[in-house]
Amino acid sequence: MTSIGGTEMVDWNLAVATATRFVRPGPEVSRDEARAIVAELRKHAKSSEAHVRAFTRMAQPDATGEAPHDTPVLVVDRPGWIKANVAGFRAVLKPLLAKMEDRRSTVPGGAVLGAVGGKVTGVELGMLLSFLASRVLGQYETFAPASRDLPAAAQGGRLLLVAPNIVHVERELEVAPHDFRLWVCLHEETHRTQFTAVPWLRDHIEGEIQSFLGETDIDPGTLLERLREAAQSLAGAKPEGEEGEDEGRSLVDLVQTPAQREILGRLTAVMSLLEGHADYVMDGVGPDVVPSVAEIREKFQKRRASGAGRLDQALRKLLGLDAKLRQYRDGERFVSAVVEEVGMDGFNRVWTSPNTLPTKQEIAKPADWIARVHRKADGAP
């Protein structure tokens, strides 16, 4: 536990309680409908494995015909998603919080400030999670620690499907529920396949994240201030039309050092690859599996592009979610261009090692990645 005098930098239990209290209720469904939705999502998650393996050629089944991994699939509600993500944040942020604790211990009255700050930070984090919990359809948790209520694979990792959000979006878009649920599962199963078929990928990304956090040079008060800005945006506390010098910048932008910008560039490239690849696969599996895939993609893209009100857009900027939307778009273009030029097997050279991952510049110029990776692999000068 990262604490001084029994107090933590973040009151994680309060974060969960706050997020659960303020998260919006899901769509109304009967008990029987809820059971049927959960059962169908589980069925689609299982069937997606074979579709993704066949299309990507990334992971082959073992002798029993089963996928070579034990990653659990959890169909959760919004509070369940909150609990899972708080557990993940707690694990990933542990080194950074330990560093901040050490700094706080040198400040007069630091322990007293920590008792208050941990609770305030817990509330702020809870407010942010309450916002996100109603928007995420599914998620492959790469660094998820196992717990009694939330199992994870032996090497870490679990796949979450947020049932209320999937139902909400399929109703909003007025698309076929069966097709939409399978389409979402194909995306998330692609992420699971990426990490289970590429043994080095998890450790590589974790190393980059820890390097990024290790370079963070920010005092607890400043980080708390940034979290409060985000929570105030969520609560509508910022007066209409008021703009500051940090307008439009994300939380990540606000804590960057020059070294972090280099690391973030590499992380942005690999996340663009992973998200774009998942989008490419979920559409590429095709109408034989998801008959209304073209209609779903068209409506879903319009929904992504339209966003919501001013408050929603401001918070998305602050959290860096706009950048995530660009990752989907840019990454899918990269994958599509590479597969068209060198085929799926040629694209799969991207998974050879960290050195064959595309750079941020190559995501924008796929031909440069093809020239670098294929020329070297084929022995061309």
Side-chain angles (χ1 to χ4, degrees), residues 26-47:
E28 291 188 8
V29 295
S30 69
R31 188 179 297 273
D32 288 342
E33 284 178 307
R35 289 197 187 101
I37 291 166
V38 170
E40 185 174 19
L41 287 172
R42 291 188 183 281
K43 182 184 73 172
H44 286 331
K46 185 170 181 61
S47 67

Side-chain angles (χ1 to χ4, degrees), residues 193-214:
T193 297
Q194 290 163 349
F195 284 94
T196 56
V198 185
W200 53 264
L201 186 59
R202 180 186 184 277
D203 289 343
H204 172 71
I205 292 179
E206 183 176 24
E208 293 281 50
I209 291 172
Q210 293 306 329
S211 295
F212 181 89
L213 295 177

Side-chain angles (χ1 to χ4, degrees), residues 106-119:
T106 65
V107 176
V112 176
L113 291 173
V116 177
K119 292 190 178 300

Side-chain angles (χ1 to χ4, degrees), residues 253-329:
D253 292 330
L254 293 170
V255 301
Q256 277 186 59
T257 65
Q260 282 180 306
R261 281 193 287 273
E262 293 184 16
I263 299 169
L264 190 62
R266 296 194 297 268
L267 278 171
T268 298
V270 70
M271 296 312 296
S272 294
L273 170 69
L274 299 181
E275 296 293 359
H277 183 235
D279 264 14
Y280 181 84
V281 172
M282 71 193 297
D283 290 347
V285 166
D288 290 342
V289 175
V290 185
S292 59
V293 63
E295 176 193 359
I296 290 173
R297 169 57 69 187
E298 181 182 3
K299 289 183 174 180
F300 195 75
Q301 289 291 75
K302 288 181 180 178
R303 182 179 184 273
R304 270 184 182 172
S306 65
R310 182 180 183 280
L311 173 60
D312 187 73
Q313 291 172 355
L315 190 59
R316 279 166 49 140
K317 279 187 178 182
L318 190 56
L319 295 175
L321 298 183
D322 284 346
K324 185 173 178 63
L325 295 181
R326 289 194 297 273
Q327 289 172 7
Y328 286 110
R329 182 191 64 221

Side-chain angles (χ1 to χ4, degrees), residues 11-337:
D11 188 328
W12 299 104
N13 291 332
L14 185 56
V16 171
T18 301
T20 303
R21 177 183 177 187
F22 286 99
V23 70
R24 297 173 182 175
E28 291 188 8
V29 295
S30 69
R31 188 179 297 273
D32 288 342
E33 284 178 307
R35 289 197 187 101
I37 291 166
V38 170
E40 185 174 19
L41 287 172
R42 291 188 183 281
K43 182 184 73 172
H44 286 331
K46 185 170 181 61
S47 67
S48 293
E49 296 180 32
H51 295 311
V52 171
R53 287 200 307 268
F55 185 80
T56 65
R57 304 178 203 156
M58 286 181 65
Q60 298 301 318
D62 62 19
T64 67
E66 296 296 325
H69 57 69
D70 61 347
T71 313
V73 176
L74 306 181
V75 181
V76 298
D77 57 10
R78 290 169 179 176
W81 180 88
I82 289 167
K83 291 177 183 176
N85 276 266
V86 165
F89 285 153
R90 191 171 189 171
V92 172
L93 294 176
K94 188 175 181 180
L96 173 61
L97 295 179
K99 179 180 178 179
M100 293 172 66
E101 285 283 5
D102 289 341
R103 176 174 294 189
R104 190 179 70 181
S105 66
T106 65
V107 176
V112 176
L113 291 173
V116 177
K119 292 190 178 300
V120 173
T121 307
V123 170
E124 311 294 13
L125 178 60
M127 292 295 290
L128 296 181
L129 288 171
S130 72
F131 169 82
L132 295 172
S134 62
R135 286 157 173 77
V136 176
L137 301 181
Q139 175 182 353
Y140 179 75
E141 282 201 296
T142 313
F143 311 111
S147 67
R148 184 182 62 183
D149 300 327
L150 296 165
Q155 74 279 16
R158 58 180 165 238
L159 192 153
L160 303 179
L161 297 168
V162 190
N165 297 349
I166 294 172
V167 172
H168 172 77
V169 174
E170 71 190 28
R171 290 179 178 178
E172 180 183 306
L173 298 182
E174 298 182 338
V175 294
H178 173 86
D179 286 6
F180 185 75
R181 293 167 193 176
L182 176 54
W183 189 69
V184 171
C185 288
L186 287 168
H187 183 102
E188 302 310 328
E189 176 57 36
T190 301
H191 284 318
R192 179 163 66 163
T193 297
Q194 290 163 349
F195 284 94
T196 56
V198 185
W200 53 264
L201 186 59
R202 180 186 184 277
D203 289 343
H204 172 71
I205 292 179
E206 183 176 24
E208 293 281 50
I209 291 172
Q210 293 306 329
S211 295
F212 181 89
L213 295 177
E215 289 288 337
T216 299
D217 186 19
I218 183 171
D219 64 86
T222 302
L223 181 59
L224 183 61
E225 180 183 347
R226 299 313 184 193
L227 286 171
R228 187 173 293 112
E229 288 175 5
Q232 287 175 346
S233 293
L234 179 58
K238 193 169 185 178
E240 186 74 22
E242 178 182 322
E243 295 186 0
E245 62 179 5
D246 294 327
E247 184 75 15
R249 300 178 68 189
S250 72
L251 284 171
V252 172
D253 292 330
L254 293 170
V255 301
Q256 277 186 59
T257 65
Q260 282 180 306
R261 281 193 287 273
E262 293 184 16
I263 299 169
L264 190 62
R266 296 194 297 268
L267 278 171
T268 298
V270 70
M271 296 312 296
S272 294
L273 170 69
L274 299 181
E275 296 293 359
H277 183 235
D279 264 14
Y280 181 84
V281 172
M282 71 193 297
D283 290 347
V285 166
D288 290 342
V289 175
V290 185
S292 59
V293 63
E295 176 193 359
I296 290 173
R297 169 57 69 187
E298 181 182 3
K299 289 183 174 180
F300 195 75
Q301 289 291 75
K302 288 181 180 178
R303 182 179 184 273
R304 270 184 182 172
S306 65
R310 182 180 183 280
L311 173 60
D312 187 73
Q313 291 172 355
L315 190 59
R316 279 166 49 140
K317 279 187 178 182
L318 190 56
L319 295 175
L321 298 183
D322 284 346
K324 185 173 178 63
L325 295 181
R326 289 194 297 273
Q327 289 172 7
Y328 286 110
R329 182 191 64 221
D330 297 344
E332 196 279 333
R333 287 174 180 170
F334 171 83
V335 176
S336 180

